[in-house]
Amino acid sequence: MLIWRDGAVPVSVRFDDPYYSLDDGLAETRHVFLDGNDLPARLVPGFHVAELGVGTGLNLLALAACAGTAGIAPIRYTGFEAFPLARDDLSRALAPFGSLRSLAEEFLEIWNPRGFRGHIGPIEAEMHVGDARTTLPAWDGLADAWFLDGFAPAKNPELWEPGLLAAVARHTAPGGSFATYTAAGAVRRALAGAGFAVTRRPGYGRKRHMSIGRS
């Protein structure tokens, strides 16, 4: 269930947390997840991005736009989501981002809250639905870059448990990376303990810091 802050920003009732920045969700995505993983510089055909917390799909669409502008395809994307949104809510959540409109239409066309597989611009995308503590360990893929985008650790601790972050590390290709908006000490320690070289860097907007890392 959602409520809409200022009539535009979706907020999860379950986690009492917005799905994206109250300031500029797309700019936050580009700063945290694209720049944080050194994209598009690292993109090559077949590059694989995985994400914990698909949410509104904004990060996926920003990735598609980034790869499209760079002229690199195909790029693979695997998302893990426990609480998929309804299509109407997705459409409303993505409406403010006019530059992504055509990609959003492609996304909404293949969207299925039980999971999907399809193409969005240059992206070959799939989504696994369920508790990531179960679905990620069962996945047989390796990601070159991770978007770690669960709700705030204090409100959604399940998506930041050390065991799950260790599974992220096990499903990361050599030289792979992660980026996340949070710089919570427990999260950084868990990622370091899983084998990532973790760095804190300036966050977006009101967030002073974020975290990035390499395997």
Side-chain angles (χ1 to χ4, degrees):
M1 182 178 175
L2 299 179
I3 58 175
W4 297 85
R5 190 166 297 172
D6 301 326
V9 178
V11 177
S12 168
V13 172
R14 182 188 300 270
F15 296 107
D16 187 30
D17 210 21
Y19 276 86
Y20 48 70
S21 172
L22 301 176
D23 299 321
D24 184 334
L26 182 54
E28 178 186 43
T29 287
R30 289 169 172 156
H31 177 82
V32 174
F33 297 109
L34 300 184
D35 293 351
N37 281 294
D38 197 20
L39 306 178
R42 293 173 57 218
L43 292 180
V44 294
F47 192 90
H48 199 155
V49 174
E51 178 167 35
L52 291 185
V54 175
T56 64
L58 181 59
N59 298 341
L60 167 57
L61 298 188
L63 174 66
C66 171
T69 299
I72 300 170
I75 302 298
R76 300 168 64 200
Y77 169 93
T78 300
F80 298 88
E81 176 60 53
F83 304 104
L85 295 176
R87 182 181 278 103
D88 288 348
D89 288 331
L90 286 176
S91 180
R92 181 176 175 182
L94 294 170
F97 307 106
S99 65
L100 301 177
R101 183 172 294 114
S102 62
L103 292 168
E105 290 172 354
E106 293 180 44
F107 176 53
L108 292 169
E109 188 153 329
I110 67 170
W111 175 259
N112 186 322
R114 294 185 297 276
F116 67 79
R117 186 187 300 266
H119 288 82
I120 304 163
I123 307 295
E124 297 175 352
E126 64 176 356
M127 181 177 75
H128 299 273
V129 175
D131 189 326
R133 293 172 294 183
T134 300
T135 56
L136 174 53
W139 183 49
D140 62 0
L142 292 176
D144 298 295
W146 278 93
F147 298 169
L148 303 182
D149 197 24
F151 291 109
K155 298 179 178 182
N156 185 197
E158 299 84 1
L159 218 54
W160 305 97
E161 290 181 358
L164 180 56
L165 297 180
V168 167
R170 290 195 300 273
H171 289 83
T172 301
S177 64
F178 79 82
T180 180
Y181 66 87
T182 184
V187 172
R188 289 188 290 112
R189 288 190 293 273
L191 287 163
F196 288 103
V198 179
T199 303
R200 191 173 69 171
R201 64 185 288 182
Y204 176 79
R206 307 175 198 185
K207 294 186 173 70
R208 290 182 58 197
H209 300 110
M210 56 174 276
S211 303
I212 62 173
R214 287 292 187 108
S215 62

